[in-house]
Amino acid sequence: MKWIDIVWPMMGAASLTLGLIQLFIWVHTRRQLEHLLFFATCVGVAVLAILELLALRSPDPIRFGALVRAGHVPLAMVLVSLVWIVRVRFRAGSLWLAYAVTAIRALSLIPNFLTGVNLNFLVISEVRRIELVGGEHMYAPIGVMNPWIIPAEIGNAALVVFLVGAAFEVWRRGDSDERTRALWVCGSMAAFLLLSFGSALLITHGVLHMPYVVNAAFLGVMAGMSYDLGGEVVQSAKTAKRLRETEQRVQLAAEAAGLGFFRRELGGDRIWVNDTGLALYDFDRDRPVTPADLFERIHPEDRERIKRETARSIERDTAFEREYRLLLPGGRVRWLAVRGQVERDQAGQAAALYGVVLDVSARRLDEQRFRVAVEAAPSAMLLVDAAGHIVLVNAEAERLFGYARDAMIGQGIELLLPESLRGMHQGQRMRYQGEPSARVMGAGRDLTARRQDGTIVRVEISLSPIESPEGALVLASVTDISERMRRDQEAAQQRDQLAHLSRVATLGELSGSLAHELNQPLTAILSNAQAAIRLMARGAEHQGEVLDALQDIVDDDKRAGEVIQRLRAMLRKEPLAARALDPNALVHEVLRLYRSDLLNRGVEVELALHPDPPEIQGDRVQLLQVLLNLLINACDAMHGLAVRRIRLSSEPGSGATMRLSIRDCGPGIDPARIERVFDAFVTTKREGMGLGLAVCRTIVEAHGGRIWADPAAAGGACIHMELPLAES
Amino acid sequence: MSTSRLIALVDDEFAVRRALWRLLRASGHRVETFETAEALLHALPERAFDCVLLDLRLPGLSGFEALYRIEARVGALPVIVITGDECPEVRARVLAARAADCLLKPVDAAALLASIERATSGPVDRAA
């Protein structure tokens, strides 16, 4: 066996192997045309290798010529393929030149078969034996050149120009990776083709006497190509490895997050679910999952809805989100949230559904607890979103507003306001959202709400902001205070009524004192008037005296008027009218009212007043009544005693209050009854109704103050009361 | 017009004192006024009053107290009580204390002058 017999078949076999690999790649990818073209190249080179081997071993000129003629077919195939590989692979090189090379090579086959013995020779005169190293020999042709070879050689030159142009174009594009590959592929092609074409040219033109050995050059070209396309395979393998790593990382992250993955090819009856997903649905790891299995797991109450939604997604969605319950073996319930996408083919038909699944039971449980708590609240509760729409209401809200639940949900909150407030409310809502905080709404203002039947109710509203995935929400708690207001009003009326009655009663006790107060000026008036009459009757010289008398009448009349005024004020039936009062002035006023009684009963009054007391907040007449009651009680307690002394004092009390105290030197209060003396109908007096102190307490408490009997008082009773200070 | 008398007037209130003083003077009497019973009692030994007009409601020594003391000191001095208290028991107590008369405020000039006239002329009849 000679080495040529070994080398040439090996080149053919190697070429064919490379080609089959490329064919395999193309069959699998179906996309990359360059692999198919490379396959064609390899087949061409392999055929060329066989023909070339036969020619090298052929001493017969006729047989040699026929082999060369046949060789032009695979050669054309190889060259044309190479041109288009470069075009397809690098999208570079002149398209015009590519077509030109293709056309020239195809057309050259015509003279190849119709003129001379082949495209190279018109006639082959002889075949010369050439001795080679290793005792080897080969045959080279000698003959007359076929002129039709010249267009083919121009085509070869065009091919080299095309390759060089393509290499430059890729180089200019600047991608370093591409640059290297373009240089390898185009450069090696151009170099080896130049070598092959050059030698063929010299042989054909009779300059060089040696056989055509283009095949070896093509092997060089193919080595370069294989490096390029093989590099891509290596690259793919690397990419695949990276993808696997990424997938593993995603898988790990998904497992850590409890995220399940699923994919359902709509053609088959399988759903692929990852391990985490299988655990969420409580499926066996080994058994395949079908859509029917999955729907079986869904809670019966949610199943039909999910079937409907799935069908709709397949029909027209690109992405979907759902939440539903699973009814797991053993009756456990689990809430899942599914987020997925629909894969569609070019015709828009759904091909697959895929996405992620997450266990949201904890969130759902929280939501459920929140709902239960809201539902059970004794006030009307409204959950309102950032746009002012009602998201959630409770049963009490239905009752208070008179709307059915469904009629409120989704509506603007303004639905529940009186028409006159609706416009204004929007602005207030915006302001609240700018600065949300838990607070009682509209402090100091009367708030109203509108019921379905159009009636307006007085309400109290407190707001709490809630952050949620759906944005900032506000929970409003609304309480109907109409009833409470009515009761308060009634109570106030009753208190005023009682206070009035008690004042009338007190006035009865005061009558002696009042009669005296009125009698004094009346006495003076009458006497002055009668004196004036007498003086006038006695003559004009008493005119000065008459004027004095008349002036006194005027003064006394005014004094009497003031007494009447005070009396009327005491009797007036008026609601509590609080204003700032000087506590010492109150003490002095009550003493003036009761002065004549004190005088009459021989009661000494000792004052221990704060020199500069702060003002208290209260109704003058009602507080006077309290003091008067206490004063009368104190005097009554000392009836018949030898020493009758009362001590009135004012001093700062606990907190922001002023304390007024009245102490007598009577027998004091029985310690056993001291707690009860302020109750109605409890009295120490034989003729009393026992209303006085009860009324006192009602009045003081209505003022926000307190009144009590001092249990530690020695030698008589001591009553303290503390009244809140006026706001300065 | 009846005889001019020297009258002591006791009332704690200035307006009343001055009005009665003016009326009695216009009626031809001479009047001395006192704010308290103590002041009157103090002046009694030096003055020869024909009659005392006494208010019951007085600071310090009360009208009743004064009545008893005047009775004790100068038994023959007629005392006319003028009071705002229309309670019958008061009137009874006043007359029981041997007052010449008990008049109600506001007192009419004619009634007052008649009472003074009655108290200061003729035999003293104190039978109640």
Side-chain angles (χ1 to χ4, degrees), chain A residues 27 29 61 70 74 100 123 172 243 273-274 294 391 459 534 591 643 693 723:
Chain A
V27 166
T29 60
V123 187
R172 268 207 314 279
L243 273 176
V273 185
N274 72 344
L294 197 131
V391 181
V459 290
R534 280 156 203 272
L591 287 175
V643 179
L693 285 177
L723 292 162

Side-chain angles (χ1 to χ4, degrees), chain B residues 19-60:
Chain B
L20 284 173
W21 168 83
R22 190 173 279 137
L23 174 67
L24 294 170
R25 290 226 338 180
S27 308
H29 298 292
R30 289 157 294 140
V31 185
E32 279 187 36
T33 62
F34 301 90
E35 196 176 344
T36 61
E38 286 92 333
L40 169 70
L41 289 171
H42 192 70
L44 267 186
E46 290 142 42
R47 311 293 293 156
F49 292 116
D50 295 307
C51 159
V52 176
L53 296 185
L54 181 66
D55 187 17
L56 279 183
R57 209 174 284 223
L58 291 172

Side-chain angles (χ1 to χ4, degrees), chain A residues 512-513 515-516 519-520 522-524 526-528 530-531 534-535 538 545 548-549 552 556 559 595-597 599-600, chain B residues 11-13 15-16 18-23 25-28 55 57-59 84-85 105-110 113:
Chain A
S513 202
H516 179 76
N519 261 339
Q520 290 292 88
L522 287 177
T523 304
L526 183 59
S527 298
N528 272 320
Q530 288 177 329
R534 280 156 203 272
L535 286 167
R538 281 169 62 178
E545 185 78 37
D548 285 347
D552 283 352
D556 285 325
R559 198 152 59 91
R595 189 186 62 123
S596 70
D597 272 303
L599 221 51
N600 211 19
Chain B
D11 198 302
D12 62 326
E13 214 164 304
V16 175
R18 192 158 75 163
L20 284 173
W21 168 83
R22 190 173 279 137
L23 174 67
R25 290 226 338 180
S27 308
D55 187 17
R57 209 174 284 223
L58 291 172
D85 202 333
K105 282 181 180 176
V107 64
D108 178 63
L113 294 174

Side-chain angles (χ1 to χ4, degrees), chain A residues 15 111 255 341 483 660:
Chain A
S15 183
E255 269 167 32
Q341 302 230 312
E483 183 61 18
L660 296 176

Side-chain angles (χ1 to χ4, degrees), chain A residues 263-417:
Chain A
R263 185 178 173 88
R264 174 184 170 194
E265 304 288 346
L266 290 171
D269 191 34
R270 285 282 182 80
I271 301 179
W272 171 83
V273 185
N274 72 344
D275 288 349
T276 314
L278 290 172
L280 285 179
Y281 285 95
D282 213 354
F283 281 137
D284 257 347
R285 281 200 184 194
D286 310 324
R287 242 189 66 213
V289 180
T290 66
D293 293 337
L294 197 131
F295 283 123
E296 195 60 32
R297 273 283 189 269
I298 296 177
H299 196 285
E301 287 174 23
D302 292 347
R303 198 176 293 152
E304 286 313 307
R305 172 175 67 88
I306 295 303
K307 276 185 179 171
R308 267 201 318 277
E309 289 182 7
T310 305
R312 199 190 57 205
S313 290
I314 290 170
E315 201 179 312
R316 57 168 189 258
D317 290 345
T318 52
F320 57 87
E321 270 186 58
R322 330 187 203 291
E323 283 192 18
Y324 53 78
R325 281 167 293 173
L326 298 181
L327 187 57
L328 300 174
R332 285 171 301 137
V333 170
R334 176 176 293 156
W335 273 96
L336 293 187
V338 178
R339 214 171 267 203
Q341 302 230 312
V342 184
E343 201 172 87
R344 293 189 183 277
D345 60 19
Q346 266 144 3
Q349 283 296 310
L353 306 177
Y354 63 96
V356 292
V357 189
L358 187 64
D359 184 347
V360 291
S361 303
R363 195 194 79 209
R364 279 288 181 162
L365 188 65
D366 282 349
E367 280 179 17
Q368 203 178 348
R369 283 182 185 142
F370 175 74
R371 274 167 200 277
V372 167
V374 165
E375 188 63 28
S379 306
M381 304 292 268
L382 303 164
L383 189 63
V384 181
D385 68 12
H389 293 124
I390 300 169
V391 181
L392 177 72
V393 299
N394 65 353
E396 182 60 20
E398 287 183 290
R399 198 197 61 75
L400 172 58
F401 294 106
Y403 283 102
R405 201 169 289 237
D406 290 345
M408 283 188 277
I409 287 175
Q411 295 292 317
I413 187 71
E414 278 78 17
L415 172 76
L416 307 176
L417 293 177

Side-chain angles (χ1 to χ4, degrees), chain A residues 708-721:
Chain A
W708 73 101
D710 190 344
C718 181
I719 307 286
H720 302 287
M721 65 171 162

Side-chain angles (χ1 to χ4, degrees), chain A residues 196-219:
Chain A
S196 144
F197 295 155
S199 67
L201 196 73
L202 292 176
I203 293 165
T204 310
H205 289 261
V207 180
L208 201 66
H209 291 285
M210 65 169 292
Y212 292 107
V213 281
V214 288
N215 204 43
F218 283 127
L219 266 185

